[in-house]
Amino acid sequence: MYSSIISSSLLLALFVFACSSLNGQDLSTIGEKPIWQETKITGGIGGSLVGYSTRGQEAQRPPFFWLINANININVYGMSIPFSATFTSQNQDFAQPFNQFGLSPKYKGVTAHLGFRSMQFSQYSLAGLTFLGAGVELEIPDSKWTVKAMGGRLIKAIPLSNGLNVVSGTPAFERWGYGTNVGYKHKTGQIGFSIFKGQDVSTSINTDSLLLLKPAENVVAAITLQQKIGKRLSFNSEFALSAFTRDRRLDPIESNEFGYENNFGWLVKPNSSTVTNSAFTGNLTYAVKAHSFGVTYRRVGPEFQSMGATYLNNDLEEVTGNIGTAVFNRKLNLAGSLGFQRNNLADNLYTDDRRVIGSANVTWLISQKVILSGIYSNFRASSDPSAVNVLDTIRFVQVTANYGLVATYSTSSDKFGHNIVLSNNYQQANSISDGDLQTVENGSEFYNSNLSYTLSIIPNQINLTAAANYNQFISPGIVNEAIGPTIAVSKPFFNRKLTTMLAYSLFNNYLDKKFQDTSSNIMASLGFSYKKNHQVKLDGRFLTRTGSTSTPIDEIQAALSYNYTF
C-alpha cells in the first residue's frame, strides 16, 4: 500500500514536471547543438577523514570517521536539476538513515523533489520535515495559484532484537505521510489551505513486548492567511485542526453527530483512541519607517499533535507584544518584548502553570570606533494548585534572568589594525516552593567574562590575538570557577593560497576556591587552495587535563578535508 503511494507520488511529480517543462520550452532548438554544449554543471564535491584517540577516559566518538557530500546543479535546455547527497561511515550507527541523497529539478514555475527532501506547508501541518519520497511545487502560469504535493516515508522502522532489545535508538513503527497545499496570491496578501496525513505501518515491527508502543495515525488540516492592511499594518495567521489516533488497530466508531471527524471521513476513521483539537497563531504588526510594533496570540489545544512537525508544544495559550525602534539617525537601536503564557486549557490538571517572558536589547553606535550593546531577558514561571481539594499542594515559582553587555573598539591604519572586545554575561535562576510551613529557596548563578585584543599587521597579513577568560558557576553549596588565557596567530602565504592558524588556551579549574586541575588545548589548521577550485584543509586538536586528585586525560583529533567546486 505504502510503496504504491510513494510510487504514484514519484510518477506524478515526474509527469507534472515533464509536461510543464515541455509546454514552456521551445522544442525547435533541441538538436541544433549537441546536448553537452547545452548542459552546464555547477556545484561541489567534498569529503573528510577524521581520526580520534583518547587516554584516561572513555572514548567520546569512534576512532575513525569519514564523510562524503555532494551538491550538484545540472542545467540543460533551461531546466535546472539540483542534486545533493551525503554518505558517512556512521550510517550504521544511526536508527534513521544518515546517508541521504536527493534532487530537486526545477524549470520555470515547476519544482520536483525526489529522494530525501523537505517541504514546507505551514507550521502546524507539514513544517519542513525530511522525508524519503517525492514532491512537486507548481506555480500555475498566468494565474495566482500555487500547488504543492508530497508523499513519502517519514520515519524508518526501528525494530527489536530477539523481541526484547532495541537494535538502535527508541523503537518506532515505519511512518508514511502525504499531503497537499493550495495557495492563492493577490496584491495585498495570500491565503493557503493544507491537508496532511501520516500513519504508522502496524506490521513494520513486532510489538509483542512493547505494550505502550502503538501504531498511530494523524490528519491535519490548516488554513493560512497573510494580509497587508493599508501601507503599514499587516496580519498573519494560521488555524489548524488535528485528529490524532493513538492506536489505529482499534475498531472504528460510527457517529451521526456533526464534527471534525465526519467532515473528513474519507481520511479519518475515528476510534476510541482518537483525539481532536485545534491550534491558532495570529500576528498583527504595525511598521512605520524605523519603528515597528506587534502583538502575537497563540493557542495550541490540549493533546494537539502533528506528525508533520518535528517538535510542537501543546496545551498552551500565550500573548506576546514586541516593539522595535531606531533613533538618533539609527545610531541607537532599541527592541523589546513581553509575553504571558498559561497551560491547563481544559481545566483537567492538578496545577496551573503560568509564565511571564520579557526581553530587551540595546545597540548604541557611539562612534565609528566604539559600539556598545546590552541584552536583558527575564523568564518567570509559576505553578499553582487548580483543585481546592488536593491535599499537600505546593506553589512553585521559578525566575530566570539573563544580563549581557558587549563593548567593542576597533581602529585601523595602513599598517596596523586594533580590535578590543569586552563581553560579560550573567545568568541567575531562582526557584521558590511554598508549602504550609516552610519556604525553600534554591538558585544558581552563571557568570562569564572575556576580554580579547587582536592586532593586525596589515602589510604582513598577520593577526595576533590574546584573550583572558573567566567562568563562574554557583549552585547551592558549590562554586565552580575556571580562569585562563588564550593566544592565537594566523597568517596566509603565497597570495592567500596557503592559510595557517595556531591557538593555545589554558584553564585552571577550582571547586570552592580549591584548585582541582588544569586543562590545556592546542589547535592548529593548515589550508591550501589551488586554482580556486580545490581546497584542502588539515585540522588538529590536542587536549590534556591534569590534576592532583584526578586521572590525567589526553585527547587528540585530526581531520583532513578536501573540497572541489566547479
Side-chain angles (χ1 to χ4, degrees):
M1 171 183 177
Y2 303 101
S3 60
S4 63
I5 293 175
I6 187 59
S7 299
S8 300
S9 302
L10 177 59
L11 291 174
L12 175 62
L14 291 174
F15 176 76
V16 172
F17 176 73
C19 292
S20 302
S21 300
L22 291 175
N23 288 335
Q25 184 181 355
D26 185 4
L27 299 180
S28 62
T29 63
I30 298 180
E32 292 183 358
K33 295 182 180 180
I35 189 172
W36 59 84
Q37 294 184 8
E38 296 286 350
T39 302
K40 184 179 180 180
I41 301 177
T42 59
I45 299 175
S48 61
L49 301 173
V50 181
Y52 170 82
S53 178
T54 186
R55 183 180 60 179
Q57 66 173 353
E58 185 178 350
Q60 305 297 308
R61 61 201 59 150
F64 180 76
F65 168 79
W66 60 263
L67 172 72
I68 299 175
N69 58 76
N71 291 280
I72 301 173
N73 183 74
I74 303 173
N75 191 295
V76 53
Y77 293 121
M79 293 183 292
S80 178
I81 308 174
F83 170 82
S84 64
T86 301
F87 302 95
T88 173
S89 59
Q90 286 190 330
N91 183 66
Q92 58 192 12
D93 298 327
F94 288 85
Q96 298 305 317
F98 194 85
N99 293 346
Q100 298 186 356
F101 56 89
L103 68 157
S104 297
K106 181 178 181 180
Y107 181 79
K108 292 188 176 181
V110 183
T111 301
H113 301 287
L114 309 171
F116 285 96
R117 300 282 88 179
S118 63
M119 296 178 66
Q120 179 79 26
F121 289 176
S122 67
Q123 62 173 324
Y124 294 127
S125 55
L126 181 64
L129 197 66
T130 298
F131 61 92
L132 173 59
V136 63
E137 298 183 36
L138 175 63
E139 295 183 6
I140 301 177
D142 301 323
S143 77
K144 300 177 181 180
W145 293 92
T146 62
V147 179
K148 300 179 182 179
M150 60 75 61
R153 190 187 69 192
L154 307 178
I155 297 178
K156 179 183 177 182
I158 306 177
L160 303 174
S161 177
N162 299 324
L164 295 175
N165 299 320
V166 180
V167 173
S168 177
T170 304
F173 290 97
E174 181 177 299
R175 177 171 295 174
W176 288 71
Y178 48 93
T180 186
N181 170 270
V182 179
Y184 178 80
K185 297 180 180 180
H186 51 91
K187 290 183 179 180
T188 58
Q190 62 183 28
I191 187 172
F193 174 77
S194 304
I195 188 163
F196 174 82
K197 179 171 183 177
Q199 60 185 51
D200 297 333
V201 182
S202 58
T203 58
S204 57
I205 64 172
N206 179 14
T207 61
D208 292 342
S209 59
L210 286 177
L211 301 179
L212 297 179
L213 183 63
K214 301 176 177 64
E217 184 178 29
N218 176 227
V219 173
V220 181
I223 297 177
T224 58
L225 174 65
Q226 299 179 21
Q227 181 64 48
K228 190 173 181 180
I229 306 172
K231 295 181 179 181
R232 298 170 180 172
L233 196 63
S234 61
F235 177 73
N236 300 316
S237 67
E238 177 180 353
F239 177 74
L241 290 171
S242 171
F244 195 94
T245 301
R246 297 189 180 93
D247 189 350
R248 57 187 299 262
R249 297 171 300 185
L250 301 178
D251 295 332
I253 297 176
E254 300 294 338
S255 175
N256 294 324
E257 298 180 1
F258 179 81
Y260 170 52
E261 300 94 333
N262 295 336
N263 291 339
F264 297 93
W266 59 282
L267 283 174
V268 179
K269 296 184 182 295
N271 58 37
S272 58
S273 69
T274 302
V275 177
T276 61
N277 221 307
S278 63
F280 173 79
T281 297
N283 170 263
L284 188 65
T285 301
Y286 179 83
V288 50
K289 294 183 178 179
H291 315 285
S292 66
F293 310 89
V295 60
T296 300
Y297 174 77
R298 184 162 71 110
R299 187 186 191 280
V300 183
E303 300 183 271
F304 180 94
Q305 297 185 66
S306 173
M307 288 186 176
T310 304
Y311 183 77
L312 186 66
N313 286 325
N314 57 24
D315 192 18
L316 65 88
E317 184 179 37
E318 67 179 24
V319 179
T320 305
N322 61 78
I323 181 174
T325 184
V327 295
F328 304 132
N329 292 326
R330 300 182 183 268
K331 291 184 177 181
L332 183 62
N333 295 274
L334 308 171
S337 65
L338 181 65
F340 303 90
Q341 186 184 99
R342 73 179 185 96
N343 75 336
N344 196 16
L345 303 185
D347 292 325
N348 58 356
L349 302 179
Y350 287 122
T351 59
D352 292 330
D353 294 334
R354 296 184 300 277
R355 296 177 175 88
V356 179
I357 304 173
S359 67
N361 61 76
V362 180
T363 301
W364 184 15
L365 305 178
I366 300 176
S367 67
Q368 293 183 350
K369 299 179 180 180
V370 181
I371 301 176
L372 185 66
S373 62
I375 61 170
Y376 167 77
S377 64
N378 180 76
F379 178 91
R380 179 184 177 93
S382 63
S383 179
D384 294 321
S386 60
V388 295
N389 60 342
V390 178
L391 299 179
D392 298 325
T393 56
I394 296 177
R395 182 176 183 270
F396 175 79
V397 178
Q398 184 180 46
V399 180
T400 301
N402 185 72
Y403 307 84
L405 181 66
V406 178
T408 303
Y409 173 83
S410 60
T411 182
S412 64
S413 63
D414 294 337
K415 294 183 178 181
F416 299 101
H418 307 272
N419 183 267
I420 301 174
V421 179
L422 174 63
S423 64
N424 295 274
N425 184 264
Y426 174 73
Q427 186 179 83
Q428 183 183 43
N430 294 317
S431 59
I432 305 172
S433 300
D434 289 343
D436 294 333
L437 300 176
Q438 62 180 348
T439 298
V440 180
E441 295 188 6
N442 296 313
S444 64
E445 296 177 84
F446 176 77
Y447 180 76
N448 170 263
S449 182
N450 175 272
L451 175 63
S452 66
Y453 168 70
T454 299
L455 171 64
S456 300
I457 306 175
I458 297 175
N460 302 103
Q461 298 181 333
I462 297 176
N463 290 322
L464 301 171
T465 300
N469 311 285
Y470 176 74
N471 300 317
Q472 183 186 67
F473 177 75
I474 303 175
S475 59
I478 299 176
V479 178
N480 289 293
E481 294 175 286
I483 185 170
T486 297
I487 56 175
V489 58
S490 63
K491 176 177 170 53
F493 295 91
F494 307 120
N495 230 7
R496 294 187 176 271
K497 292 182 179 180
L498 179 67
T499 59
T500 60
M501 186 278 294
L502 180 65
Y504 173 77
S505 63
L506 181 143
F507 276 96
N508 286 330
N509 302 298
Y510 298 86
L511 177 62
D512 295 331
K513 304 299 182 180
K514 295 181 181 180
F515 173 77
Q516 295 296 304
D517 53 45
T518 297
S519 60
S520 61
N521 193 2
I522 301 175
M523 296 174 290
S525 69
L526 184 68
F528 179 72
S529 299
Y530 178 68
K531 290 186 177 181
K532 297 183 180 181
N533 300 106
H534 306 267
Q535 296 88 35
V536 180
K537 189 175 183 181
L538 178 64
D539 295 286
R541 179 177 64 87
F542 179 66
L543 181 145
T544 63
R545 176 174 292 179
T546 57
S548 58
T549 60
S550 59
T551 302
I553 295 175
D554 296 334
E555 189 177 81
I556 186 171
Q557 178 175 300
L560 176 63
S561 62
Y562 169 76
N563 287 282
Y564 174 70
T565 57
F566 49 88

